[in-house]
Amino acid sequence: MTEQVDGAGGAQNRTSVERRGDRELVVTRTFDAPASTVYRAWSQPELFQRWWVPKSVPGISLVSCDMDVRTGGKYRLEFSAGGSDTMAFYGRYLEVVPNERIVWTNDEGEEGAVTTVTFEDQGGRTLLTFHEVYPSKEALEEALQGSAVALPEQLEQLDELLSSTGE
């Protein structure tokens, strides 16, 4: 499966979503911002929570965002769908290289993926690669019906945030 999604910035900011084999998902997008700026948007909770929740999903909000972005650190994201019930996503950071890469686990269940996000400097622009490896074909299929569907929108929202910060 390869899906191309045009962002507001046109072809230069296109989000590419590609399934590789039975267990891998690779999403790429180029941002018109330095790698250090894009990295900060992924590693600082006050920035991360401004773009991570897809706006097209009504009533969903990120009510808690705890991120200790360092090798060995942990994260916990808690979402609300408008009621009193919340859903938490959490895991550990396996590797953090500032401005270059973040690798984390998704520990909510046995079918959690390992996610790697890399930030490749391209002369003031950044090629972001979001790579997830799932423990099974079924886990990837489930993600392709759920969380992975929102990635192009989330990256578009990140692009808007980066544009508005003016860095």
Side-chain angles (χ1 to χ4, degrees):
M1 170 192 116
T2 298
E3 172 189 352
Q4 299 290 327
V5 180
D6 280 326
Q12 69 181 6
N13 289 335
R14 181 168 306 177
T15 298
S16 167
V17 178
E18 180 185 354
R19 176 186 181 150
R20 290 193 186 155
D22 287 343
R23 297 179 32 226
E24 294 181 57
L25 178 68
V26 179
V27 180
T28 58
R29 183 178 177 117
T30 300
F31 294 93
D32 200 13
S36 59
T37 302
V38 181
Y39 172 83
R40 274 198 308 277
W42 282 83
S43 61
Q44 294 181 355
E46 62 277 6
L47 293 174
F48 185 84
Q49 57 194 355
R50 289 174 56 191
W51 66 270
W52 185 250
V53 178
K55 293 177 183 163
S56 69
V57 182
I60 298 287
S61 62
L62 182 55
V63 295
S64 174
C65 180
D66 297 315
M67 300 166 60
D68 181 11
V69 185
R70 61 181 174 82
T71 301
K74 295 182 178 181
Y75 73 90
R76 180 180 173 85
L77 307 176
E78 199 167 338
F79 296 88
S80 170
S84 59
D85 291 341
T86 60
M87 182 174 5
F89 295 90
Y90 52 90
R92 295 170 283 115
Y93 293 102
L94 300 177
E95 180 186 6
V96 176
V97 180
N99 307 324
E100 292 180 22
R101 107 180 13 247
I102 304 172
V103 183
W104 68 86
T105 64
N106 297 275
D107 294 342
E108 306 76 58
E110 293 178 14
E111 295 293 297
V114 173
T115 306
T116 302
V117 176
T118 58
F119 311 89
E120 183 184 323
D121 181 48
Q122 297 188 324
R125 300 180 79 206
T126 302
L127 172 62
L128 180 131
T129 302
F130 180 97
H131 179 247
E132 285 191 314
V133 178
Y134 293 85
S136 68
K137 179 180 181 179
E138 294 73 25
L140 173 58
E141 292 299 332
E142 185 178 318
L144 289 170
Q145 301 303 312
S147 59
V149 172
L151 279 166
E153 180 180 359
Q154 289 168 291
L155 295 179
E156 180 64 28
Q157 290 173 183
L158 173 56
D159 197 46
E160 291 168 12
L161 173 68
L162 295 170
S163 297
S164 71
T165 59
E167 291 188 52

